[in-house]
Amino acid sequence: MRKFLQASLLIVIALISWKCAATVNTAAMSDKERFDYAMSIFKNEDYEVALKEFEAIILQFPGSEVVDDAQFYLGQCHFNRKEYLLGAYEFSKLIKNMASSTFVPEAQYMLASCYYELSPAYPLDQKYTKKAIEELQAFIDFFPADQRVPAAETKIKTLYLKLAEKEYHNAQIYERMEYYTAAILACTKVTETYHDTKYAPMASYKKIKLLLIKKRNIEAAVEISSFLAKYPNDENAAEVKELKASLENNNQAVTKG
């Protein structure tokens, strides 16, 4: 028993000694040494410890050339920890306060990416979706030659599709509730704002049917012409042609009468 206790004590002492030996005296480091140390932790994916180190660098060496590096990787730590609002805040600080930094283009892309990750499913509030589009478009406008522009454009298309789906879903809800005017307005928003998404022809078709329900035949005829011009090969095109013919026949009958 005594030998077992002695062996256990030796193990504990060895562990304490190893931990003490592994402790790094960061207070004696220069700015670049501290940053290199923080980056080694970051690369080890210990983001919680790394972000504390980057924060310390920003506070301890405010005029150093590594501050913008630390600010960027502080944002990256939060992003990698899926703390997207905190990441957005840190990337935004770099863009606003360190405008001459070479990290600004990447920080702008990462700022947009934070909001992209925060964008929820289409039935929910889409404020982060709209914010992501705004920041992605800013990235494209300010850095058109950046190699990430195609990725940014793809993300914008994905987000626009989500907004179109939400608006079309709203139209369906209004229709079920027999709020036809509201449904028509929602369909119009889809066809005008999200005209290059798959929901545009669906919304145009629904708008035609709703206008006919409301007996707004002149507006229905205009929408039918627009639908057939834009979506001649749509699955609903044959039915829309029949509706056009029916309206024309009714108009002729009224004229003759």
Side-chain angles (χ1 to χ4, degrees), residues 156 161 169:
I156 287 176
L161 187 64
H169 180 66

Side-chain angles (χ1 to χ4, degrees), residues 121-165:
Y122 77 87
L124 302 176
D125 182 77
Q126 295 299 309
K127 66 177 181 178
Y128 290 131
T129 302
K130 294 173 183 177
K131 184 64 175 173
I133 291 172
E134 178 187 325
E135 296 298 348
L136 284 164
Q137 192 59 57
F139 171 76
I140 293 168
D141 291 343
F142 284 111
F143 313 107
D146 193 284
Q147 63 182 3
R148 288 168 290 236
V149 165
E153 291 172 337
T154 298
K155 286 183 175 180
I156 287 176
K157 288 180 182 178
T158 301
L159 296 169
Y160 264 115
L161 187 64
K162 187 183 293 187
L163 293 178
E165 184 176 12

Side-chain angles (χ1 to χ4, degrees), residues 163-222:
L163 293 178
E165 184 176 12
K166 181 177 179 63
E167 204 60 49
Y168 184 75
H169 180 66
N170 289 342
Q172 290 177 309
I173 292 173
Y174 291 138
E175 182 184 18
R176 286 197 294 269
M177 297 173 69
E178 298 185 4
Y179 296 161
Y180 297 128
T181 301
I184 289 167
L185 290 173
C187 287
T188 301
K189 185 171 182 180
V190 175
T191 58
E192 292 183 356
T193 307
Y194 310 112
H195 54 84
D196 56 349
T197 71
K198 67 179 183 180
Y199 292 99
M202 296 163 63
S204 181
Y205 172 73
K206 185 177 288 295
K207 182 179 177 180
I208 292 166
K209 302 295 285 289
L210 291 166
L211 287 167
L212 291 172
I213 289 172
K214 294 289 288 181
K215 300 189 183 303
R216 291 160 60 175
N217 292 352
I218 295 175
E219 293 172 75
V222 171

Side-chain angles (χ1 to χ4, degrees), residues 1 16 22 32 61 67 78-79 82 85 88 106 143 146 154-155 158 160 174 206 220 225-228 238 242 255:
M1 183 66 177
I16 293 171
K32 292 182 180 179
F61 306 103
V67 168
H78 286 301
F79 184 87
K82 298 184 179 181
L85 278 178
E106 192 169 359
F143 313 107
D146 193 284
T154 298
K155 286 183 175 180
T158 301
Y160 264 115
Y174 291 138
K206 185 177 288 295
S225 296
S226 175
F227 181 95
L228 293 174
E242 291 176 3
T255 301

